[in-house]
């Protein structure tokens, strides 16, 4: 249940970044890829530090999950905005991202 609001917020912030930096497409694309990479690194570090999760409702598990959900949301936004003619790199989260865009 927590994944959808986090995905919406991250997708919206990615689109806001896109609108703000519209004049320089390449820098926006690279910045967004950097954001995705940073979120994946932070998510991996959290998973290594706090995992394995014996209680899925603990704050550590939720924090780790939300960071990784944010990374997936950024990936979806990148694909929808910049790589629309390429085949999708995700399957399950594409519809939610399309609705938010």
């Amino acid at each position: 249940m927590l994944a959808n609001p986090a995905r919406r917020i991250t997708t919206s912030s990615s689109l806001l970044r896109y609108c703000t930096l519209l004049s320089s497409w390449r820098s926006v694309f690279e910045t967004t890829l950097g954001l995705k990479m940073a979120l994946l690194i932070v998510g991996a570090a959290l998973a290594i530090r706090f995992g394995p999760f014996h209680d899925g409702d603990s704050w550590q598990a939720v924090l780790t999950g939300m960071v990784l959900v944010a990374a997936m949301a950024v990936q979806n936004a990148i694909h929808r905005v910049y790589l629309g003619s390429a085949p999708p790199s995700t399957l399950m989260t594409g519809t939610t991202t399309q609705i938010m865009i």
Side-chain angles (χ1 to χ4, degrees):
M1 282 185 99
L2 292 174
N4 283 336
R7 186 175 304 134
R8 289 180 193 138
I9 291 168
T10 306
T11 303
S12 298
S13 66
S14 295
L15 290 175
L16 180 62
R17 180 179 304 261
Y18 171 75
C19 292
T20 303
L21 301 173
L22 189 58
S23 63
S24 178
W25 179 85
R26 185 173 178 177
S27 68
V28 175
F29 184 68
E30 291 172 355
T31 301
T32 311
L33 283 177
L35 174 63
K36 175 187 160 190
M37 182 61 75
L39 288 169
L40 287 173
I41 290 170
V42 169
L46 289 170
I48 290 169
R49 169 68 176 97
F50 295 124
F53 302 106
H54 301 291
D55 178 18
D57 291 331
S58 67
W59 70 268
Q60 296 96 339
V62 172
L63 176 66
T64 303
M66 289 300 102
V67 168
L68 293 171
V69 165
M72 289 188 297
V74 171
Q75 177 181 357
N76 279 316
I78 289 171
H79 184 268
R80 297 291 177 151
V81 173
Y82 298 107
L83 307 171
S85 62
S89 60
T90 59
L91 183 63
M92 297 300 291
T93 56
T95 304
T96 304
T97 304
Q98 185 63 37
I99 290 170
M100 294 309 300
I101 292 177

